[in-house]
Amino acid sequence: SVNRQGLFTRLIRNPMGIVTLGYIFLVILVAILAPVIAPMDPLLTDPASIMTPPDGAHLLGTDSAGRDVLSRLIFGAQSTLIAALIVVVVAIVVGVPAGLLAGYYAGKFDAVASWLSNMIMALPAMIVLLAVRTALGPSIYLIMTVFGIIIAPGFFRLTRSAVMGVRNELYVDAARVSGLSDMRIIGKHIFTVVRAPIIIQAGIIASISIAIQSGLQFLGFGSGENLSWGTMLMDGFQSIWLQPIRLLYPSVMLALTLVSIVLFAGNLR
């Protein structure tokens, strides 16, 4: 039956699933192999080749500092994906265990955790990120870590709500009667209920994280040494009247990546 088929088998039989998986895998592979496949050093400037159109030496042309656009596009995938990964991992590590415990045990832990969650959700995320950047420096990875903590209440509330809906089900009571520990019940019987919503939430949060990171870099709040598609957007926008095509490359990569992550998460669910 279809329920007995492997996850990967079912995924690749879905056209949207295999297309989005293929694209995401390709972007990850490009990011990993960037030092090998990039034709040039993305930070190497060439004053003699400023704002040149695509040619044999520079397949996508050069920017306002004479740097190879294709190489910067390839290396930009690294920090863009790492930023999204940091946010998702931090948010899941903080939010999901707290939601499981709060939903299962309720009581004082639930009250305190819910209060903290509501307090964090009340914070204006962008203002907090800008304050962190001002106080602690322009490290985009540190900023994304803080953003992961800000996003964690979303995972907490999602997990807590799902757990509270099943904690009194008969199969959970049967597990208790059979002598299973609370941690075993939560890990084996409760977590399966929240797994699918967490996957969807992770995909959405990853897309939001890439958008936020690119937005901050576009506004110039990241480190100049941290190359990303958002940095390329900023560079392209500054010379939009001279070479508008340079704004297209990072925009297309960002759009395809954001859409692919969300669609893949939906198909994986």
Side-chain angles (χ1 to χ4, degrees), residues 6-269:
L7 172 64
F8 183 74
T9 302
R10 280 180 282 161
L11 184 65
I12 63 176
R13 288 183 177 179
N14 186 322
M16 186 62 68
I18 189 61
V19 169
T20 54
L21 174 62
Y23 175 80
I24 293 172
F25 177 78
L26 179 61
V27 172
I28 294 174
L29 189 64
V30 166
I32 294 174
L33 299 179
V36 178
I37 63 177
M40 297 183 181
D41 183 343
L43 301 178
L44 179 64
T45 60
D46 184 3
S49 301
I50 293 178
M51 302 285 288
T52 60
D55 55 27
H58 306 281
L59 296 180
L60 296 182
T62 60
D63 63 8
S64 57
R67 297 168 297 195
D68 184 65
V69 172
L70 177 59
S71 298
R72 292 176 65 79
L73 198 66
I74 292 173
F75 272 90
Q78 290 184 336
S79 60
T80 301
L81 295 181
I82 290 174
L85 182 63
I86 289 174
V87 174
V88 171
V89 170
V90 170
I92 289 177
V93 168
V94 174
V96 173
L100 288 171
L101 295 177
Y104 186 78
Y105 290 111
K108 293 182 178 179
F109 181 86
D110 180 29
V112 173
S114 297
W115 179 80
L116 287 173
S117 172
N118 293 334
M119 184 181 69
I120 294 175
M121 291 187 71
L123 297 174
M126 186 59 73
I127 294 178
V128 172
L129 296 181
L130 295 180
V132 169
R133 193 271 183 195
T134 302
L136 302 179
S139 172
I140 196 67
Y141 300 131
L142 177 60
I143 294 174
M144 290 295 100
T145 300
V146 174
F147 185 57
I149 296 174
I150 296 175
I151 290 293
F155 283 95
F156 169 80
R157 293 166 68 98
L158 176 69
T159 305
R160 173 182 173 274
S161 176
V163 173
M164 293 188 71
V166 300
R167 67 178 180 178
N168 293 322
E169 293 289 338
L170 291 178
Y171 71 90
V172 177
D173 291 336
R176 293 194 188 101
V177 172
S178 66
L180 293 180
S181 65
D182 288 345
M183 292 298 102
R184 184 78 179 274
I185 294 173
I186 292 174
K188 186 175 182 180
H189 298 286
I190 300 294
F191 182 71
T192 55
V193 177
V194 301
R195 187 169 52 193
I198 288 175
I199 292 173
I200 297 294
Q201 184 83 344
I204 295 173
I205 294 303
S207 297
I208 293 174
S209 305
I210 292 176
I212 290 292
Q213 185 251 13
S214 299
L216 290 173
Q217 295 278 18
F218 175 77
L219 295 174
F221 288 107
S223 171
E225 299 177 355
N226 187 259
L227 175 60
S228 72
W229 294 335
T231 306
M232 295 186 67
L233 276 177
M234 179 183 67
D235 293 339
F237 186 77
Q238 291 174 346
S239 57
I240 188 172
W241 298 112
L242 299 176
Q243 204 176 68
I245 190 66
R246 284 182 45 229
L247 194 63
L248 177 65
Y249 302 133
S251 300
V252 169
M253 292 302 300
L254 280 169
L256 290 177
T257 303
L258 297 180
V259 171
S260 295
I261 291 175
V262 173
L263 292 179
F264 175 72
N267 283 278
L268 185 61
R269 171 187 170 273

